[in-house]
């Protein structure tokens, strides 16, 4: 575990030569001053100096004055103690470990830049920070903001929302569980990406099944179709069976009719050819007619005359035979046409009768209309069955991945311990933890059903309870506990004293604490302050408590001051670090 202890902070403007400098106590540090004096700026400057960009917008006014930040720290890691110096100016950060060569990083003002990724990897290794989060379907290293999140309660949202003081984690799946597991020392290692993809597929399948169910539920026509099918199906099926049989015979007859038509056409064509052949033969009588080509008399011996008569007789016989064939086929086609007419008439009569049939107002027409819906229902049912089988298969595969049961048992143990600590701290602040599980179980808590002072005190108890759990994890890095604006504006004196007393007890068993309080002493001694910080220190906190005043508790926007005494050698050394190559 790497434990970070802050030693000093320097912020200096090269343009105005105004600056801020303070050293920190290793125990308690109380930052005080009037509202808007710059107390939050001090805490945000610490975070910004570490190379974290979350507070960059809040420091815009200061950064426009050409400032640099220097944060000196002491690190305790594996029995070793060494110093770290962070120097930042805009998008440049220089990090020096002891007397080693400084490491320079340029272009870190964007979390998506290559240089920032290089710095993030470097500082994460020093801290031992290796939280892994899931972003869509891949595992990625957590942003640096998550390394500070357990140790920082912001004034803007920290006293209202949990885990939102620094960073944006909306795009990380199950961030709360991975974050809590990491800082509670629970190893939730498993094939998370495979499981994620399976769960995504299962969710998509369940959505499709829901769409199918919703469609069937909303579509009354499908329900009516099912009723019509059940009540009319018998008669309709009998007719359709008869229709199929008759239609089969009809198709055969229609095919036969087509063949006969083709045959008659062929015979008539041959008949026409024979008629022309006979006519030509008769115009070529031997020894009587002339050759159509050379105008000579055709030969007329006995043999030629015999052949001529034979051709005439054969052609005439063929023509007579064709005539008889045409007659026979015409008779057949008439018979087939009669049968076709009869079959069509039967189908038409039977269909008209069936159309007039009804069963409780249900007609064959309406049954046919609704059969399309029945086909849709059949397809939907088949699709639902396939999806359900796939979901069962996915469930078995997810179960085979394992790991969840053991993790859940470990989480329950941590939750029991956390609740015992949480109740004690809440009791010390005079507030009761809500009885519902979602406000007591660590992995369920997102907010509390309180407001005003009660909510404020309960959040103090919650944050210190979780902070205690984190400090007990020897594998986790630790930062000073940064509490911005420990009081709400409407907290009365008695409650402030309760909170001071609570903080005094907590600091005995915790690490370095830095918290800010609003204090306004007015323009004259006749105006009583809300409380006297020096008296608070003497009554509640150890002698080494550091009081850090911003603007003498009177001036607004007093973080950078021209009266701040800063060692010239420190400024020179810092500038030399910024110029390192």
């Amino acid at each position: 575990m790497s434990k970070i202890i802050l030693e000093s902070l320097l912020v200096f403007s090269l343009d105005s030569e105004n600056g801020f400098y303070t050293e920190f106590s290793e125990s308690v540090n109380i930052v005080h001053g009037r509202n808007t004096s710059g107390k939050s700026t001090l805490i945000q400057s610490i975070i910004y100096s570490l190379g974290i960009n979350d507070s960059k917008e809040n420091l815009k006014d200061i950064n426009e004055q050409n400032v640099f930040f220097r944060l000196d720290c002491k690190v305790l890691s594996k029995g070793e103690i060494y110093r770290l110096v962070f120097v930042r100016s805009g998008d440049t950060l220089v990090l020096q470990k002891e007397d080693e060569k400084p490491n320079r990083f340029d272009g870190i003002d964007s979390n998506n830049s290559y240089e920032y990724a290089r710095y993030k990897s470097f500082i994460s290794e020093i801290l031992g920070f290796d939280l892994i989060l899931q972003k869509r379907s891949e595992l990625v290293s957590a942003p640096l903001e998550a390394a500070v999140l357990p140790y920082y309660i912001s004034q803007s949202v920290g006293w209202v929302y949990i885990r939102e003081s620094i960073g944006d984690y909306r795009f990380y799946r199950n961030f709360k569980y991975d974050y809590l597991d990491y800082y509670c020392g629970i190893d939730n290692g498993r094939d998370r990406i495979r499981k994620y993809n399976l769960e995504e597929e299962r969710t998509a399948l369940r959505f499709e099944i829901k769409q199918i169910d919703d469609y069937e539920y909303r579509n009354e026509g499908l329900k009516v179709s099912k009723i019509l099918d059940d009540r009319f199906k018998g008669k309709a099926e009998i007719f359709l069976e008869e229709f199929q049989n008759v239609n089969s015979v009809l198709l055969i007859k229609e095919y036969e009719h087509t063949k006969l038509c083709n045959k008659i056409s062929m015979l008539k064509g041959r008949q026409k050819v024979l008629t022309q052949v006979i006519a030509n033969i008769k115009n070529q009588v031997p020894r009587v007619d002339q050759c159509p080509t050379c105008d000579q008399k055709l030969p007329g011996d006995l043999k030629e005359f015999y052949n001529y008569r034979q051709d005439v007789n054969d052609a005439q016989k063929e023509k007579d035979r064709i005539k008889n064939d045409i007659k026979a086929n015409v008779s057949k086609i008439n018979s087939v046409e009669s049968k076709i007419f009869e079959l069509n008439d039967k189908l038409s009569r039977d269909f008209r009768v069936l159309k007039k049939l009804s069963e409780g107002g249900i007609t064959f027409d309406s049954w046919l209309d609704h059969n399309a819906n029945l086909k849709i229902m059949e397809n939907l049912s088949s699709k639902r069955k396939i999806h359900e089988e796939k979901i069962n298969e996915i469930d078995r595969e997810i179960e085979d991945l394992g790991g969840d049961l053991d993790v859940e048992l470990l989480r329950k143990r941590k939750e029991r311990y956390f609740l015992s600590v949480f109740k004690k701290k809440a009791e010390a602040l005079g507030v009761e933890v809500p009885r519902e599980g979602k406000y007591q179980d660590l992995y369920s808590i997102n907010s509390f059903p309180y407001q005003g002072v009660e909510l404020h005190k309960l959040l103090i108890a919650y944050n210190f309870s979780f902070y205690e759990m984190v400090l007990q994890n020897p594998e986790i890095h630790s930062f000073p506990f940064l509490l911005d604006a420990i009081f709400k504006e409407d907290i009365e004196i008695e409650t402030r004293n309760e909170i001071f007393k609570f903080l005094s007890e907590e600091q005995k068993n915790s690490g370095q604490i830095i918290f800010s309080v609003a204090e306004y002493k007015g323009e004259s001694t006749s105006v009583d302050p809300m409380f006297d910080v020096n008296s608070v220190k003497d009554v509640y906190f150890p002698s080494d408590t550091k009081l850090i005043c911003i603007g003498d508790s009177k001036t607004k926007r007093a973080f950078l001051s021209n009266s701040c005494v800063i060692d010239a050698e420190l400024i020179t050394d810092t500038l030399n670090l910024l110029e390192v190559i």
Side-chain angles (χ1 to χ4, degrees):
M1 175 183 74
S2 296
K3 182 177 182 180
I4 310 296
I5 300 174
L6 305 185
E7 292 187 324
S8 65
L9 173 68
L10 166 65
V11 183
F12 188 80
S13 169
L14 293 171
D15 290 345
S16 65
E17 295 189 351
N18 292 341
F20 172 86
Y21 178 78
T22 186
E23 295 179 346
F24 296 103
S25 167
E26 292 191 17
S27 59
V28 179
N29 298 268
I30 304 176
V31 183
H32 60 103
R34 71 174 302 179
N35 289 326
T36 70
S37 61
K39 300 183 299 298
S40 297
T41 302
L42 187 155
I43 294 177
Q44 291 162 358
S45 296
I46 293 172
I47 295 171
Y48 185 72
S49 301
L50 293 168
I52 296 174
N53 292 317
D54 188 79
S55 58
K56 181 173 64 175
E57 288 300 318
N58 297 321
L59 299 174
K60 183 178 179 181
D61 291 343
I62 292 179
N63 276 321
E64 288 177 350
Q65 301 179 44
N66 190 20
V67 300
F68 62 78
F69 300 78
R70 173 175 177 146
L71 183 66
D72 286 65
C73 307
K74 181 169 62 177
V75 180
L76 284 68
S77 178
K78 300 176 181 179
E80 180 186 5
I81 301 176
Y82 58 87
R83 292 180 66 251
L84 275 182
V85 178
F86 297 83
V87 178
R88 181 169 185 178
S89 177
D91 63 353
T92 297
L93 188 145
V94 177
L95 177 59
Q96 184 177 32
K97 179 180 178 182
E98 282 294 337
D99 295 326
E100 297 178 5
K101 180 182 177 180
N103 292 274
R104 182 187 178 98
F105 303 89
D106 293 298
I108 67 163
D109 59 338
S110 170
N111 287 11
N112 297 320
S113 71
Y114 172 81
E115 195 72 357
Y116 183 84
R118 192 170 74 88
Y119 170 71
K120 174 184 170 184
S121 175
F122 186 82
I123 190 64
S124 294
E125 184 176 352
I126 290 176
L127 298 177
F129 176 64
D130 56 359
L131 171 60
I132 299 297
L133 300 177
Q134 184 171 335
K135 195 171 186 178
R136 294 190 178 92
S137 60
E138 62 176 341
L139 295 177
V140 298
S141 59
L144 283 181
E145 285 81 356
V148 178
L149 183 57
Y151 310 101
Y152 174 49
I153 311 300
S154 69
Q155 179 180 3
S156 55
V157 297
W159 301 113
V160 180
Y161 303 108
I162 295 173
R163 292 180 297 275
E164 293 191 22
S165 285
I166 186 170
D168 183 358
Y169 311 98
R170 291 173 296 170
F171 304 105
Y172 297 98
R173 187 173 185 268
N174 291 331
F175 165 75
K176 177 175 70 173
Y177 292 94
D178 288 333
Y179 168 78
L180 293 176
D181 285 348
Y182 179 78
Y183 283 105
C184 289
I186 296 175
D187 181 11
N188 60 6
R190 51 187 179 273
D191 193 349
R192 297 170 60 191
I193 296 302
R194 175 60 181 159
K195 184 178 180 182
Y196 170 78
N197 291 331
L198 289 171
E199 289 174 344
E200 288 291 296
E201 184 180 359
R202 181 175 61 185
T203 299
L205 292 171
R206 285 174 175 170
F207 178 76
E208 288 193 31
I209 290 176
K210 185 178 184 302
Q211 292 292 96
I212 291 172
D213 293 340
D214 290 345
Y215 177 75
E216 291 183 346
Y217 178 78
R218 293 192 306 268
N219 196 325
E220 294 185 357
L222 295 179
K223 300 176 184 177
V224 173
S225 298
K226 185 68 171 65
I227 296 172
L228 291 177
D229 182 64
D230 292 340
R231 298 176 64 182
F232 206 80
K233 189 173 183 179
K235 292 181 181 180
E237 285 185 344
I238 292 172
F239 167 76
L240 291 176
E241 186 177 351
E242 271 187 36
F243 177 88
Q244 186 175 4
N245 293 334
V246 174
N247 195 54
S248 297
V249 177
L250 178 61
L251 290 174
I252 293 172
K253 291 298 179 183
E254 287 177 341
Y255 177 69
E256 185 179 346
H257 180 271
T258 301
K259 286 180 64 177
L260 288 170
C261 288
N262 291 337
K263 188 173 183 180
I264 290 173
S265 296
M266 183 191 69
L267 290 172
K268 286 182 177 180
R270 182 165 177 77
Q271 187 182 45
K272 182 177 179 181
V273 170
L274 288 170
T275 299
Q276 188 173 358
V277 169
I278 292 171
N280 289 338
I281 292 175
K282 287 182 178 181
N283 290 330
Q284 297 175 2
V285 178
R287 299 185 64 182
V288 176
D289 296 320
Q290 293 180 343
C291 173
T293 303
C294 60
D295 294 332
Q296 294 182 4
K297 291 284 186 179
L298 294 171
D301 59 16
L302 183 61
K303 180 180 178 181
E304 293 296 333
F305 188 80
Y306 176 80
N307 289 336
Y308 162 74
R309 297 307 307 175
Q310 186 65 37
D311 288 342
V312 172
N313 291 336
D314 288 346
Q316 189 61 47
K317 285 181 181 180
E318 181 66 15
K319 182 179 178 182
D320 292 341
R321 187 183 67 79
I322 293 298
K323 181 178 180 180
N324 291 331
D325 284 349
I326 290 173
K327 183 178 179 181
N329 281 286
V330 168
S331 177
K332 288 180 181 179
I333 205 170
N334 288 335
S335 175
V336 170
E337 286 179 348
S338 177
K339 187 63 176 178
I340 289 173
F341 177 81
E342 179 185 340
L343 291 170
N344 277 323
D345 184 61
K346 176 175 175 56
L347 289 178
S348 178
R349 281 185 286 104
D350 289 351
F351 187 65
R352 283 197 302 270
V353 171
L354 190 64
K355 287 177 70 174
K356 292 179 181 179
L357 289 175
S358 66
E359 183 70 31
I362 303 171
T363 66
F364 182 70
D365 278 341
S366 60
W367 180 79
L368 284 179
D369 290 340
H370 289 292
N371 259 275
N373 284 341
L374 293 174
K375 189 65 177 177
I376 292 174
M377 291 181 68
E378 181 182 341
N379 291 337
L380 293 177
S381 178
S382 175
K383 196 171 185 179
R384 182 194 290 106
K385 184 178 180 182
I386 292 172
H387 286 354
E388 288 173 346
E389 290 175 352
K390 183 61 178 176
I391 287 174
N392 291 334
E393 181 182 335
I394 290 173
D395 287 339
R396 289 192 294 270
E397 192 167 349
I398 290 176
E399 185 177 352
D400 290 340
L401 292 176
D404 285 338
L405 182 59
D406 294 338
V407 170
E408 286 300 319
L409 290 174
L410 292 173
R411 286 173 179 170
K412 290 297 180 184
R413 292 175 188 169
K414 293 293 182 179
E415 284 185 329
R416 286 194 294 269
Y417 176 77
F418 171 82
L419 182 58
S420 65
V421 175
F422 186 24
K423 285 183 174 180
K424 289 178 182 177
K425 295 189 187 303
E427 184 180 359
L429 285 165
V431 65
E432 184 179 356
V433 177
R435 295 183 180 180
E436 295 89 339
K438 63 181 179 179
Y439 302 123
Q440 295 190 350
D441 300 336
L442 178 61
Y443 284 82
S444 299
I445 299 173
N446 293 311
S447 61
F448 295 107
Y450 291 163
Q451 57 184 350
V453 174
E454 279 194 324
L455 175 61
H456 189 72
K457 291 197 290 187
L458 196 60
L459 282 168
I460 292 175
Y462 170 88
N463 288 311
F464 270 93
S465 299
F466 186 65
Y467 177 65
E468 180 177 314
M469 289 191 69
V470 173
L471 291 183
Q472 290 181 356
N473 185 356
E475 303 299 323
I476 297 298
H477 66 279
S478 69
F479 279 114
F481 204 9
L482 309 176
L483 302 145
D484 194 5
I486 195 67
F487 294 142
K488 295 175 67 71
E489 295 179 0
D490 58 348
I491 291 182
E492 69 282 353
I493 294 176
E494 183 179 352
T495 301
R496 290 202 300 268
N497 291 335
E498 285 181 347
I499 294 175
F500 278 135
K501 182 179 179 181
F502 175 82
L503 293 175
S504 69
E505 293 297 323
E506 289 297 319
Q507 64 86 27
K508 295 176 182 178
N509 300 311
S510 65
Q512 188 179 35
I513 296 178
I514 301 174
F515 67 87
S516 65
V517 292
E519 179 196 34
Y520 180 44
K521 294 183 177 179
E523 300 300 330
S524 68
T525 56
S526 61
V527 179
D528 293 331
M530 294 174 62
F531 50 83
D532 182 70
V533 174
N534 289 287
S535 298
V536 168
K537 171 188 172 182
D538 294 339
V539 173
Y540 296 104
F541 297 104
S543 58
D544 63 346
T545 296
K546 174 74 174 182
L547 299 181
I548 304 171
C549 184
I550 308 294
D552 63 21
S553 297
K554 296 179 182 180
T555 311
K556 292 184 178 181
R557 300 187 180 278
F559 182 66
L560 296 181
S561 170
N562 57 9
S563 62
C564 181
V565 179
I566 303 174
D567 186 356
E569 283 189 23
L570 183 62
I571 295 176
T572 302
D573 181 63
T574 305
L575 291 174
N576 288 337
L577 283 173
L578 279 173
E579 293 173 0
V580 70
I581 299 176

